[in-house]
Amino acid sequence: MTLSRGHVLGLVLALLAAGAVLALWPQAEPGVKDAITRKVVQMTAAAERKDMAELMDGVSDSFRSGEGWNKQQLKGVLLGQVLRGSWVRVFVRDLHVTEVNPTRGDVQVKIIFGRSEAEQLEQLAQDSVLSAYLIEGTFEKQDDGEWRVVQAKHRSLSPTELF
C-alpha cells in the first residue's frame, strides 16, 4: 500500500499537532517541599559559581534575619563568605523542609563552605578551610511565582556537628 502525498502530509500534521499538545500541556507545579528544595540547590550552586545575582534572587526584598539583617546586609555577609579565597565549595547536608501552607515552607539545613578543590564532602576536610552553619528559615512563594527566603537565622556548627 502506498500513501499519497496528501496522506503523508496529513500524518505529519497530526504528529506535529500531537507534539504541540504534549509540549504545551500544563505541567503540575511541584509541591512546597520540592519547590523549596530545588531553590536551596539552585542557591548553593550559584554560591559555588560566585553568581551573587542569582544567589540574591532567592532572597525576598522583605527579608529579615534573626540577627536583624535586611537583604542588603545579608548580601554583604554572603559576599564576604563566597568571594573570599579562590575555590569555594558549598555542600548541603540534612535539608529538612516543612510545608506550612501552599505558599510557605520552613527549612532547616546545614550549609558547609570550603575553600578547596574537593568534589565530595568527605574530601573537604583534607587541606581545606571550612566554615559551617545551621540555617533555619522560611521561604514564601512571591507574587511573581518564585520561592524566596523571607526570614532566616543561623549559628556556626562545630566540626563534630557536621556529619
Side-chain angles (χ1 to χ4, degrees):
M1 175 172 129
T2 59
L3 295 175
S4 70
R5 180 181 263 175
H7 284 101
V8 171
L9 183 60
L11 181 61
V12 168
L13 288 175
L15 288 173
L16 286 174
V21 167
L22 287 175
L24 298 174
W25 194 267
Q27 300 292 321
E29 282 194 38
V32 172
K33 290 181 180 184
D34 288 339
I36 292 173
T37 298
R38 287 181 192 168
K39 193 61 163 187
V40 169
V41 169
Q42 288 173 352
M43 291 174 74
T44 55
E48 277 199 356
R49 290 190 316 274
K50 299 183 181 192
D51 184 345
M52 290 304 295
E54 184 178 343
L55 177 59
M56 293 309 296
D57 186 52
V59 180
S60 174
D61 290 337
S62 63
F63 174 82
R64 284 283 175 225
S65 76
E67 296 79 12
W69 304 332
N70 62 25
K71 183 176 181 175
Q72 282 307 111
Q73 292 165 319
L74 174 65
K75 182 178 182 179
V77 171
L78 290 174
L79 276 168
Q81 186 68 30
V82 171
L83 297 181
R84 183 180 62 200
S86 56
W87 289 93
V88 175
R89 301 293 300 165
V90 183
F91 295 94
V92 174
R93 296 289 283 195
D94 303 330
L95 173 61
H96 301 283
V97 179
T98 304
E99 180 177 338
V100 175
N101 63 47
T103 60
R104 188 176 178 99
D106 291 333
V107 173
Q108 183 178 36
V109 61
K110 293 177 183 176
I111 303 287
I112 304 164
F113 293 93
R115 306 222 180 287
S116 172
E117 295 182 34
E119 293 293 325
Q120 296 177 352
L121 182 57
E122 290 73 20
Q123 299 169 333
L124 193 60
Q126 303 168 4
D127 224 14
S128 299
V129 176
L130 298 176
S131 53
Y133 305 93
L134 176 67
I135 299 173
E136 296 176 312
T138 300
F139 279 77
E140 284 185 355
K141 190 172 187 178
Q142 307 284 283
D143 292 337
D144 64 358
E146 290 294 319
W147 287 88
R148 292 191 177 88
V149 179
V150 292
Q151 63 187 28
K153 64 181 179 177
H154 80 283
R155 73 172 175 82
S156 294
L157 293 173
S158 69
T160 60
E161 295 177 285
L162 296 181
F163 302 100

